[in-house]
Amino acid sequence: MKILFLNGPNLNLLGTREPEVYGRTTLKDIEAKVRERAARFGAEIDFRQTNAEGELVAWIQQSKGYCNVIVLNAAAYTHTSIALRDAISAVGVPTIEIHLSNVHAREEFRHKSLIAPVCKGQIAGFGADSYILAVEAAVNVNESSK
Ligand code: CA2
């Protein structure tokens, strides 16, 4: 199986800015951990980051027939993007929403996710481990879709 990890705006700064909020682990470190965990399940990983909303939309559109499951940390676009929600809904590839931080324990504007209703589920608040948990969730989602 193939899992497509998509990361949204500013996640390229992880580990280099605001360590008190987002920790000291870089996105490269997280990618390495994800690849290690996925190897246990024989799952293939495509891991990407962009600051551009339209690029995320394009990647979601191209995912049909390319991967089995999308794991999406849409970052701030989680709270604003009808375009991402429409793309996830239109393409129909099972998508898991993830966040490093517990968005529900933060500012009110982070409590609302526009993509949650079209995702299989949400993992939030476990730091880099949210990504590892998402590998396990993606494998389970793929198994139960067979
Ligand atoms: O907790 C998460 O994973 C978020 O998706 C992170 C987003 C935030 O807008 C969401 O509400 C929750 C922010 C990503 C920005 O990452 C930075 C990393 C280092 C320094 C500054 C920003």
Side-chain angles (χ1 to χ4, degrees):
M1 76 167 293
K2 188 183 277 193
I3 310 170
L4 177 60
F5 274 79
L6 299 182
N7 294 283
N10 298 310
L11 286 165
N12 54 314
L13 299 178
L14 272 183
T16 65
R17 306 262 201 293
E18 295 183 53
E20 64 289 352
V21 185
Y22 295 110
R24 295 200 180 273
T25 311
T26 66
L27 198 59
K28 274 273 164 228
D29 296 332
I30 293 176
E31 179 179 351
K33 284 177 201 241
V34 162
R35 289 188 183 283
E36 192 185 304
R37 183 58 61 108
R40 290 194 206 173
F41 298 102
E44 212 181 307
I45 299 296
D46 186 340
F47 197 97
R48 307 179 191 176
Q49 188 275 332
T50 179
N51 292 326
E53 184 179 15
E55 194 158 26
L56 286 170
V57 170
W59 287 343
I60 292 166
Q61 287 184 5
Q62 292 154 12
S63 68
K64 186 101 194 153
Y66 172 73
C67 67
N68 303 88
V69 180
I70 297 172
V71 174
L72 175 61
N73 185 348
Y77 292 141
T78 303
H79 318 297
T80 63
S81 181
I82 298 168
L84 279 182
R85 179 198 178 115
D86 287 349
I88 295 164
S89 178
V91 164
V93 173
T95 299
I96 298 167
E97 175 183 354
I98 65 165
H99 300 286
L100 295 152
S101 63
N102 180 356
V103 284
H104 304 287
R106 299 184 64 192
E107 303 95 324
E108 184 120 21
F109 65 84
R110 296 187 205 274
H111 298 182
K112 178 76 186 165
S113 165
L114 294 189
I115 63 172
V118 294
C119 288
K120 291 299 253 185
Q122 185 190 65
I123 300 169
F126 299 99
D129 285 344
S130 291
Y131 284 73
I132 302 301
L133 293 166
V135 171
E136 308 234 356
V139 170
N140 290 344
V141 162
N142 186 49
E143 284 299 317
S144 56
S145 75
K146 282 180 184 167

